[in-house]
Amino acid sequence: MVILEVKSLQKVYTSRFGGASVKALSNVSFAVEDGEFVAVMGESGSGKTTLLNILAALDRPTSGRVVLDDKDVSAVRDSQMATFRRENLGFVFQEFNLLDTFSNRDNILLPLVLSGIGVRQMEQRIGPLAKQLRIDGILDKFPYEISGGQKQRVAIARALITQPKLLLADEPTGALDSRSADDVMKIFQGVNRTGQTVIMVTHSVKAASCAERVLFIKDGEVYHQLYRGEQTDEQMYQRISDTLTLLTTGGDAE
């Protein structure tokens, strides 16, 4: 079942005084199946961050549509947008975006507090999730007391606690050492195996090789895509590397 449809998406930024315009997205169309793990790659300035911001309902397209679970995101009023994001989307950021004055437990539960969820239901959700992400022993510590990899796992828990339809990740391994990055990507793969739909923007070939499909964005358009099929992470790594080489040299992807 298709959970996300992106249809003929365009985004044009115009200077404040109506001068030069920049087309960040030209004509982007793709669909994501429920339970897929999709990585989005491209050079700096290719439009992938703009695409993520539009999928996250943090920006609106100039034209085209984003349909999440049969709901047109562009039809959501500005006054309802925060609630829409909280009920449908989970976010994982490169820099974690945790509140140092809150315990890890309170950071994770904050979206539920904002949604008015009762304490009993909060506890029912956080227990299994903390165990799954191996952070049950650090819930009562504060973000400044734990490692970068642990911070990202807390951030993932915060994103998942609302049981979102779509989990969006922006360079989730960008601030981590290689060992922590590998650990976090195993977490993402494990979360995806439970049925969670994931879209991740990344520069890391190793991170992208953990996904089931990789979309390559070039000059504001979908340049190519790769499907994992029966391939290993190592085989995906090589195919992604080859495609990125073609993307930067102007060759044609197979």
Side-chain angles (χ1 to χ4, degrees):
M1 182 186 81
V2 172
I3 192 170
L4 177 73
E5 288 183 276
V6 177
K7 303 179 179 180
S8 304
L9 213 60
Q10 293 192 40
K11 181 64 180 182
V12 179
Y13 292 102
T14 305
S15 64
R16 183 177 177 183
F17 299 105
S21 61
V22 176
K23 185 175 284 189
L25 296 176
S26 298
N27 184 26
V28 174
S29 297
F30 63 91
V32 176
E33 297 281 333
D34 189 21
E36 261 199 290
F37 183 179
V38 179
V40 180
M41 302 194 78
E43 296 178 286
S44 296
S46 62
K48 62 185 185 300
T49 299
T50 299
L51 174 61
L52 186 71
N53 286 339
I54 291 174
L55 297 181
L58 298 171
D59 197 0
R60 292 186 183 269
T62 304
S63 62
R65 300 169 65 205
V66 175
V67 180
L68 177 62
D69 200 21
D70 294 325
K71 187 174 184 64
D72 189 343
V73 177
S74 62
V76 180
R77 295 178 180 177
D78 288 342
S79 60
Q80 300 172 326
M81 192 58 81
T83 300
F84 174 82
R85 291 191 202 101
R86 201 159 51 237
E87 292 178 349
N88 294 279
L89 304 171
F91 303 93
V92 179
F93 304 95
Q94 178 176 336
E95 298 296 339
F96 322 126
N97 288 11
L98 299 173
L99 300 173
D100 275 340
T101 54
F102 281 28
S103 69
N104 296 320
R105 181 190 304 275
D106 289 341
N107 268 285
I108 295 167
L109 293 175
L110 183 58
L112 298 187
V113 173
L114 295 173
S115 297
I117 302 296
V119 173
R120 185 173 182 179
Q121 190 174 352
M122 288 184 194
E123 291 303 322
Q124 288 174 341
R125 289 194 191 185
I126 196 172
L129 186 58
K131 188 173 182 179
Q132 178 188 358
L133 300 182
R134 305 194 310 278
I135 55 173
D136 43 328
I138 60 170
L139 288 179
D140 294 319
K141 291 187 176 183
F142 289 80
Y144 58 81
E145 297 179 300
I146 61 177
S147 68
Q150 289 172 322
K151 287 179 183 178
Q152 196 60 293
R153 279 186 270 151
V154 170
I156 293 170
R158 179 186 57 192
L160 292 173
I161 197 74
T162 59
Q163 300 174 348
K165 294 183 176 72
L166 183 63
L167 179 64
L168 298 168
D170 185 9
E171 300 285 1
T173 62
L176 303 176
D177 60 66
S178 59
R179 183 174 179 179
S180 296
D182 290 346
D183 184 49
V184 164
M185 290 316 304
K186 288 177 183 176
I187 294 284
F188 271 101
Q189 287 182 310
V191 165
N192 174 245
R193 281 193 288 270
T194 68
Q196 176 66 57
T197 308
V198 181
I199 297 180
M200 173 183 67
V201 165
T202 183
H203 280 102
S204 168
V205 175
K206 194 167 187 180
S209 66
C210 295
E212 296 301 313
R213 176 162 54 125
V214 183
L215 284 174
F216 297 89
I217 304 294
K218 181 178 182 180
D219 298 330
E221 298 183 1
V222 176
Y223 168 79
H224 189 54
Q225 57 183 326
L226 295 175
Y227 287 86
R228 170 184 295 276
E230 299 300 317
Q231 296 172 95
T232 64
D233 289 357
E234 290 75 17
Q235 290 169 322
M236 275 293 283
Y237 185 101
Q238 188 59 55
R239 290 187 69 201
I240 293 167
S241 297
D242 292 344
T243 302
L244 287 173
T245 299
L246 289 170
L247 189 149
T248 54
T249 58
D252 294 324
E254 296 181 0

